[in-house]
Amino acid sequence: MKVSLNWLNDYVDLKDISTGEIVDSLTMSGLEVEDVVDQKEMYKNFIVGFVEKKEKHPNADRLSVCIVATGKESVSVICGARNVERGQKVVFAPVGTIIPKGNVELKKAKIRGVESSGMICAEDELLLSEDHSGIMVLDPKLKEGTPIVDALNLDDVLMEIAITPNRPDALSHLGVARDLSAIFKKDLHLPKINLKESNIDINDTASIEIADEKNCPRYSSLVVLDVKVDDSPDWLKNKISSIGLRPINNIVDITNYVMYETGQPLHAFDLDRLNGKKIIVKSTKRKSEFTTLDSKERELLRDTLMICDAEKDVAIAGVMGGENSEIYYDTKNVLIESAYFDPSSIRKTSKYMQLSTDASYRFERGTDPNNTLFAAERTAALIGEIADGKIAKGSIDVYPKMIEERIVKFRLRRLNKILGFNVSAEDSIQIFEKLGFGVKQLANEELKVTVPTYRPDIEQEVDLIEEIARISGYHNVPTIPRISITLDTKHDETVLTNNVRDFSNALGLSEIINNPLQPELLAKSTGDAVKLSNPLSMDMAYLRTSLLPGALSVVARNLNRGEKNLSLFEIGNVFNLKEDKSDINSFDDFDEEEKIIFILSGKKVERDWFSDTKEYDFYDLKGIVNSFLSKISLDNLLNDSYYSIYNNIYEFYLTKNFKDREVGLGGKIRSDVLKKFDIEQNVYCFEFNFSELKQIPVIQNKYSEPLKYPKVFRDFAFVFDKTVLFDDVRNFIQVKSSKLLKNVNVFDIFESKELGQNKRSMAFELEYFDMDRTLTEEEVEKDFEKLIKLVSKQFNAKLRGN
Amino acid sequence: MLTDNITRVKKDFSKDIADVKDIGDLEEIRIKYLGRNGIISKLFDQLKDVPKDDKPAVGKELNLLRINVTSQFEKLQTSLASEKDEKESKVDLTLPGKKYQIGSKHILTQTLDEMKSIFKGMGFSIHEGPELESDYYNFEALNFPHDHPARDMQDTFFINEDFLLRTHTSPVQIRLMENMKPPVRAIMPGRVYRNEAVSARSYCMFHQVEGLYVDTDVTFAELKGTLVAFAHQYYGKDLKYRFRPSFFPFTEPSAEMDITCFMCKGEGCNICKYTGWLEILGCGMVHPNVFKSVNYDSEKYTGYAFGMGIERIAMLKYGITDIRIFFENDFRFLKQF
C-alpha cells in the first residue's frame, strides 16, 4: 500500500523525525517499506516553464518546436504532445534532469535535425499518474523558473509498504500512524468530525434491513441530501492522487479518502435510484447475473452476499457496487454504506469472481466492526462540506449483535519464556496503550489486555508477545552465543542418498535435477499419472511417473547445444496412481516413490592420442549398475533377467530383481522413442526404484581375511555357436567344476570368417584357490581337463589352440 | 711425506673431476685414483713407512680421502648416467594425461550439503517428507484456516480440494512432531512447488530447508543465536544481519532475516534492490495452534522454526542471475561445479 508521509502527519506529529528513521522504524516493526519516493529529491530539477513560441517541426508533422522561458533563459524544446500551446505554463525538465519514469537522465538531443534542450512533461513522466494524454498545463499565475516542488506542493514522501495479511488495520493511514505513535511514543490524533446535521430525519429518507446477519453483522448508514457532484477540490485530488488513485468526482473521492484514512471501505449509493429507498442485505438464492459499475456483467454463485433495494440487486456486498445505483453527475441524494462483512464470505465471492478491489481486499482481511459509524460520519461530514450537501439527522445503524472486544491475558513470565529476555510491566503497558489496547494490571506480573476490534490478528497471549517484541525492536532480543545439544539419537534420513550421489560421481556420472511437472504425453508414457487441477500450462499439467522422460529431454537439450557425450544421473520422486484409482482421496490412492536413473549417451572415450573413440554401450550401463549395487551391498541380493522381446521403450533391457520383485529396469532406448525427442544417437538408461532398494535388508559387511595362498589360473577358448550365451557357459562351468574354482572370467570374444558363420570364440580365465592351503598343479589340471571335455560336449564347442 | 702427498692428491682429484665430460673420462679417473694400482692404493702402500705414533692419524686421513673420492665419483656417475638415459629415451612426458571422468553433484545438492553439515554440527537431525501432500499437512495443521488470505501468500498447485503439491517444507514439521515427543531438533530439506509464472527470478518448483527445534526452554534469543551462527559460517564472519518482524501463520512472533548484500557490501545495488540488505530466510516461534494440532502442550514446550530457499542462496553465492538454469541441466553448467 502506498502511504503518504504528509498524510500520516495529520494524525501523528513526525516533523522532528528524519524520513530515514521513519522508514527504518516501520520496516523494523513489521510494516516493511519496499520503496520510498522523496518528492523533494525526485523533482528538485523540475521548474515552471513558459511556452513563448510554438512552431511546427520542419521535418515531422506530429512534433512542435517550442521556445520555453525558464526564468533565466529561453531554450528550444521539441514536444510531441498535441495540447502544447503558446502562452502555457508547463512543467519543464532542463538537460541533466533525471526523469522519474524509467529513471533516465535527460540529455541534449537532436530530434529529426532540430536541437532539443530539455523536455515539457506529462504526468506519467513524473510518475504523478499514468496519464500520457498530453503535457501538464499549469496555473497561468505561476512564475517561470519556480521549482515545481513549490509550485505543486510536491514536498511529500511516499512509501510503498508491504502489509502482511494479518494486519488489516495497517491498510490505512490511521493504522500506520498508530504504529508510529507507539514506536516514537507520540500521541495519535483522530480526525475531528464536524457533523452539521439538518433537521430532516434520516428515517424519513431511507430504511435498512439485514436479512443475513451471519455474513453482514453490521450495516451503518448516513444520508446526505442535495449534494452537488463535481470535481474535488485540489487538496483532496492531490491527497488521493499522491497514493496513486485517480480522482473521479467529489463523492467517490471522499469515500476513497476516508477508506485510506480509516481502513473502512465505503460505498455511496444514489439514493434516488434505490427502489423503495430501501437497502436489504441478503444472500442470493440461486445463480444469477449482475452488472457492476465497471459495466461488466458478472455471474453470481448461489449464496453470494448482495446489497439490494426493494426490487433489485444494487451491489455485490464488500466487492463492487452496481452500475444501476452508482453516483452520476446529476445525483442529488446520497446514501453512505459503511458496513462490516464476514471476511470469509467476501473472500469466497472475490475469489470466485476473480475480482479483488480495495474494498474486498480489506473486508476479507477483517475490518473493524466497531468503526463503521465513525467512518460513515466522517464521510458524511466531508460530503456535506465539500459537495455542499445537507446531512440528514441521525444515522441508521443495524447491528443486531455487538462484536465484543477480545480480552487476552498477558504474563511477563511467558514473554520471557518465549523471547528469552525481559520487558518491564511499565514498558509493556505503554506499548499496549499506544497501540490502542486497554490494559489492566493484575497481580503476579500479569496484565489483562483488551484488544480493539481493529486488530483481529490478536487472538492469544503469544500475539501480544509479538506486539511487545516488534515495537521494542527485535534487535533488543539478545542473540545468544551458545546452545545446548540434547544427547538423544540423531537421524539423517538422507545418508544413503548422499552416498549414492558420491558413488555415482565416482562412476563418472553428473547429477541433474528436473522439473517433475510434465505434459500429459510424457507423464502417461511411463505410468498412471496424477493430474493437477490448476496447472500453469499444459506443458506442466501432470506429475512425472518415471525419471526417464525427463532424462531423455535433458539428453535432447544437450545434443541441441552441442554437448554430445553425456553420463548423468538423477534422484527424485515420481508419482503414480494406484491401480483402479482415477483420483486421490487418501494417501493410499497413489505411490510417491524415490527413483534413481543412470543415463549414458555418446562417446565414452573421445578421439585421443592413446585410444580410438569408444561409444557407450549396454555393457557400460550394466557395469555401472553393478558397481553401484556393490557399493550399496546389494550386488549379491539381486538377480538379473534379460529381455529382447518387444517393449515400447527399450530395444533390449535388463531387470534387477529382489526375490520375485522387479526393483530396477534399463537398457537401450528404442530408436523410435528417441526420434520423438529428436535424439539421433544411442541412449542407455537404467532406473531403480530407490524407495524399494532402501527397504531391502542389507547384511552388515564383516571383515574376511585376505587370501594367504597363491591362486592358480588356467585359460581356455572355445568356438561356440552364436546362440550359446555366456551366462549359460559360465553357470555350467561353475556347476561342473570342483569347489576350488572360484571365478570364471571371460577375457576375449570374437567372430571371424575363419571360425565360420554363426560361430564365435569365447576365451575364459579360470581362477582356482583355497583359503586354507596351497593347491597342487595336479588337482587343478585334473579339474581343468575335465571341464574342457564337459564344455566341448555340452555346447558342442571346439577347443581352440589345439 | 705422506701427509703432503694426500693433500696434493686431493687437489689433483678436484681438478681432474671438474674436467670430466662423459662416462669415458670418468672411467679413466676411476682407474687413475681408485684402481687396483691407482694413486690411492699406492698411498695406502706408503702407510707402512709412517712412524708408529703418527700411523692412526695419517691412516684416518687417508681413509677420509678414499671415501671422499669414492662418493664424488659415484655422484657424478649417477648424474652422467641419467643424462644419458634422458637423451636416449623416447617417452614424451609432455603429452596430455589420459582423461578420467569424475561426475559432479548438482550445485543445488552441493549448496544443501554445505547447509546440512552446518546444522548437523549444531545437533540437528535430517528428515524428509512427501511432495504430494494433503491440505491438512500443508495448510490446516500449520494454522492456515480455510478461506484465509494467508493462503494467498503461497500460490498452490492443487490435485483436488484435499490434495496438493506442497508449497513449503513446513508440513514435514507436523509429520515429525506427530511421530515423536520433544525434544525435536531437525532440518527438513526438500522440493516445493508454487503456482507462479516462470521467470528469471521465480520458478514453479524449487527447494527449501526447514528447521525445527522444540523443547522446554527454546527462546527467540536462541533462534537468533542459531541462525546468526549459521549465517556466519555459511557467508562469513564479518557479515551484518537484522531480524525484521514478519508474518507466517505457523509462527508467532515471526521474523525475516536479512544479511548485508555481499555484492555491494550494503552500499545498494540491483541485486539487493538498492536496500543494502538481502532477505535469506523466514523464521519464528512455533505457534501454539501448531502445537495443538500435534498434541504438544504449548505451556510446557516452546519451539522455533525457520525455512530458507536453496536456489536463492545458491544464486546469491555463485552469482547466478536466472533460476531456470538450475533445471535446464546443460552439461556445461553441471560440469562447472
Side-chain angles (χ1 to χ4, degrees), chain A residues 231-242:
Chain A
D231 283 357
S232 293
D234 283 347
W235 72 263
L236 181 56
K237 273 192 195 161
N238 287 341
K239 215 137 195 167
I240 63 169
S241 40
S242 75

Side-chain angles (χ1 to χ4, degrees), chain B residues 256-274:
Chain B
E256 280 176 320
M257 184 182 182
D258 298 340
I259 59 170
T260 32
C261 176
F262 36 74
M263 300 305 278
C264 63
K265 307 274 175 242
E267 298 284 312
C269 66
N270 63 345
I271 298 288
C272 61
K273 291 193 215 147
Y274 301 95

Side-chain angles (χ1 to χ4, degrees), chain A residues 60 148 191 382 404 498 572 628 655 664 744:
Chain A
I148 286 298
L382 287 170
E404 303 284 348
N498 286 347
F628 163 74
T655 65
V744 180

Side-chain angles (χ1 to χ4, degrees), chain A residues 414 477 484 533 557 567, chain B residues 101 120 158 185 224 298 328:
Chain A
R414 184 73 187 163
V477 179
S484 62
S533 70
R557 191 174 309 126
S567 50
Chain B
Q101 177 154 291
K120 268 181 125 169
F158 288 97
R185 193 195 317 242
K224 280 181 72 180
S298 62
E328 281 177 5

Side-chain angles (χ1 to χ4, degrees), chain A residues 411 414 417-418 466 474 477 484 490-493 505 511 513-514 533-534 557-558 567 584 592, chain B residues 101 103-104 109 120 123 126 128 131 156 158 160 185 191 216 220 224 252 254 298-299 328 331:
Chain A
R411 295 163 294 173
R414 184 73 187 163
K417 187 170 163 82
I418 287 182
E466 184 181 63
Y474 281 6
V477 179
S484 62
K490 304 288 184 292
H491 299 278
D492 181 352
E493 289 181 353
N505 283 167
E511 186 183 19
I513 296 181
N514 268 309
S533 70
N534 60 336
R557 191 174 309 126
N558 274 292
S567 50
I584 293 175
E592 176 173 347
Chain B
Q101 177 154 291
S104 32
T109 302
K120 268 181 125 169
I126 301 175
E128 294 183 308
E131 293 168 22
T156 311
F158 288 97
N160 54 39
R185 193 195 317 242
R191 195 192 304 252
T216 47
F220 193 67
K224 280 181 72 180
E252 185 84 21
S254 302
S298 62
E299 277 295 305
E328 281 177 5
F331 205 49

Side-chain angles (χ1 to χ4, degrees), chain A residues 493-537:
Chain A
E493 289 181 353
T494 64
V495 165
L496 183 59
T497 316
N498 286 347
N499 289 343
V500 162
R501 287 196 173 96
D502 285 334
F503 303 150
S504 303
N505 283 167
L507 290 165
L509 309 172
S510 288
E511 186 183 19
I512 58 173
I513 296 181
N514 268 309
N515 181 358
L517 300 175
Q518 293 180 337
E520 180 172 10
L521 196 67
L522 285 193
K524 287 193 171 169
S525 67
T526 47
D528 207 350
V530 177
K531 189 184 181 188
L532 304 190
S533 70
N534 60 336
L536 260 179
S537 68

